[in-house]
Structure formats: structure tokens, C-alpha cells
Amino acid sequence: MGIRLAEAYERCRLLHRHHGRSYYLATRLLPAWKRRHVHALYGFTRFADELVDAPGVSGRAERLEAWGERLAAGLRGEPIDDPLLPAVIHTIRVFDLPPEDFAVFLKSMAMDLTIVDYPTFDSLLDYMAGSAAAIGTLMLPLLGSVDDAAAREPARQLGIAFQLTNFIRDVAEDLDRDRLYLPLEDLARFGVSRDDLRAAAASGQVTPEIQSLVGYEVERARDHYRLAEPGIALLQPSSRACVRSAQRLYAGILDEIVRADFNVFAGRARVPTLRKWSLAGRVLLAEAVSR
């Protein structure tokens, strides 16, 4: 069992390193004993994404449901055969994480199999309550805080800010899956249609209307980063540098989108590697000085 557990944690770490590079870099600022638990939560969310997003694979709903059932069985103490879940279950037990939050997350993932767009921002928030906000609150016990009740809402807001950043950056990629996470009411506000977005994705060129739409979404995401900011000071000192780095690295994606004149179709917005390391170093130094 010990070998299987170590292998499961390593698989989660590799998923994190490959798919969540900015977040993975930030996790390097955590105490070593905490990192594998963060990798486990990331591995859980990433594997669920892959089950839902696998192109041309039939039975995705059944596979996602079966994976959730294996998690529930493992939490009941039943033997399970899975490359990732032993690490996830171990992390749940170490930190006494609420299993219902994992169920809420999987419910949001199942929505991706049937829902292709969201009419209002409120309806998108309903989706993100499971897909993003719940992950923020699940992370809180791992990071530790001086006031869990006060830190809970900022943690939710940071999860939402991260996901909104992904939605803005990945419009073209999501359209390829016939999904759109920009609220339809926002498209109407700026006179943009789904066909306009598809045309921009095909040409790599954006209209002034699309630029205004993307700019509006960028400011909305920044609002959620601002709402998350007070929670960082409530974290245990050993976790602050990690979360502040993750916040600034992800918010840096929005800065890159602005630098590209709000054209999210010309290429995937990325924070350059040297800037990532410089930012992480500055955050670590600032946190060390403030202690």
C-alpha cells in the first residue's frame, strides 16, 4: 500500500507539473510536506477535466460517474484500483476534507457534458461554485489559516478568479469543444455573437467589439482577485508566498492579454518564464522580510 500511495502522489505531481506550470512553480514555495497534498488535489481536478474533455470518447458521463464512485468506495475503506485516488483519499483523511465538496466539484464537471454556454454571470457563478470556489475552500486546510471562517470567502474568490482567467485565455480552445464560458449577456452587451468569436478564432484577428468584450471580462476577473487579496494575510506564514505567487502569476496572464490588445485568439497568453521566476523570487523575499 505504501508503494501504491507513493506512486499515486507521484502521478499527481507529474500531472501538476505538466498541466499547471504557473501553479506548480508557486507550490515550490510551500513546505515540502505540504506539496504532495496540493499535487493530489490538482491531480484530482485535472483528471476529472481530462475525463470530460477527452475528444471523441463515448461514455464520458459514465466514466466520470464511475470515477466518483471509486472515490466514494475508497473513502468507505473498500479496496480500489486507481492510479491517482489513493493519494486523493489519503489527503482527504489527513486534513479531514469534506467529501461533499468533491461531489460538488464532480457535479460541475458533469455539467460540461451537457451545457455549452451560460446566459448570465449568475448562472456561470453557479457552475463555478463547484468547479472553482469549492477547490479554493478545499485548499484552505492544506494551507492553514489563523481564522478559517474569515479566510473562507477570499479562498472562494481566488478560485473563481483563477478560473475566470482560464475562461478568458482559452476562449478558442473551449469553442473547439463547442463550449463558451463568457456569459451570453456580456456578448449581447458588446454586440458579439458566437459566430464572431469563431471567425476570430479562425483568423487570429479580433474586432473592436471583441476587444471591448475581453477587456470587460479582464476587469471582472481582476475584481475577484481584489476580493481574494485580504485572505492571503490570514494564511499561515509558510503558505503565504505560495498563494501570493500563484495569485500574481495568474493575474499576470491577464496582463499579457492586455499587452496583446485583448486578442486572445492570436496565441495562448503566457507569462514568460524569466518573469515567472523573477516574480516568485520577489514574493519570497518580501514574505521573508515581513516576518
Side-chain angles (χ1 to χ4, degrees), residues 187-207:
L187 270 68
R189 178 196 297 258
F190 294 100
V192 176
S193 68
R194 184 186 281 250
D195 286 342
D196 294 333
L197 294 176
R198 289 193 182 280
S203 68
Q205 303 294 320
V206 290
T207 64

Side-chain angles (χ1 to χ4, degrees), residues 151-162:
R152 180 178 174 83
E153 185 57 27
R156 293 183 75 259
Q157 294 298 328
L158 189 58
I160 290 170
F162 285 165

Side-chain angles (χ1 to χ4, degrees), residues 16-241:
H16 196 174
R17 187 179 71 176
H18 181 70
H19 293 287
R21 293 171 186 166
S22 294
Y23 188 21
Y24 183 84
L25 172 60
T27 358
R28 304 301 297 170
L29 302 179
L30 282 174
W33 72 270
K34 286 188 177 183
R35 291 177 203 155
R36 70 173 185 166
H37 298 297
V38 176
H39 298 327
L41 286 188
Y42 184 92
F44 173 79
T45 61
R46 182 68 205 186
F47 189 74
D49 274 339
E50 292 185 351
L51 286 176
V52 169
D53 291 342
V57 176
S58 60
R60 288 179 294 178
E62 292 77 10
R63 286 156 62 102
L64 184 67
E65 183 179 1
W67 200 56
E69 289 172 353
R70 286 202 299 279
L71 172 63
L75 289 171
R76 291 193 299 268
E78 299 173 18
I80 57 170
D81 183 16
D82 189 274
L84 300 179
L85 288 180
V88 179
I89 291 166
H90 183 253
T91 292
I92 290 172
R93 288 174 174 160
V94 167
F95 293 94
D96 195 25
L97 301 179
E100 55 268 24
D101 281 356
F102 290 84
V104 167
F105 173 80
L106 291 175
K107 182 179 178 181
S108 283
M109 291 300 95
M111 291 169 65
D112 280 334
L113 297 171
T114 57
I115 297 175
V116 297
D117 53 36
Y118 294 85
T120 66
F121 186 62
D122 283 345
S123 63
L124 183 63
L125 280 174
D126 288 341
Y127 167 79
M128 290 192 292
S131 64
I135 301 305
T137 55
L138 282 170
M139 280 291 299
L140 200 52
L142 279 64
L143 299 170
S145 75
V146 298
D147 186 338
D148 287 349
R152 180 178 174 83
E153 185 57 27
R156 293 183 75 259
Q157 294 298 328
L158 189 58
I160 290 170
F162 285 165
Q163 188 158 62
L164 287 174
T165 301
N166 285 340
F167 289 162
I168 298 165
R169 179 193 62 191
D170 297 337
V171 175
E173 184 179 323
D174 291 329
L175 282 171
D176 282 343
R177 299 186 179 108
D178 198 29
R179 293 190 207 129
L180 180 63
Y181 295 102
L182 306 185
L184 298 182
E185 65 180 0
D186 294 351
L187 270 68
R189 178 196 297 258
F190 294 100
V192 176
S193 68
R194 184 186 281 250
D195 286 342
D196 294 333
L197 294 176
R198 289 193 182 280
S203 68
Q205 303 294 320
V206 290
T207 64
E209 291 80 8
I210 292 176
Q211 288 175 302
S212 296
L213 168 66
V214 174
Y216 178 79
E217 304 299 346
V218 165
E219 288 308 309
R220 170 178 273 159
R222 284 176 169 167
D223 285 342
H224 286 276
Y225 282 111
R226 284 189 281 269
L227 291 170
E229 176 67 28
I232 298 178
L234 298 174
L235 297 176
Q236 289 179 354
S238 61
S239 297
R240 288 176 197 157

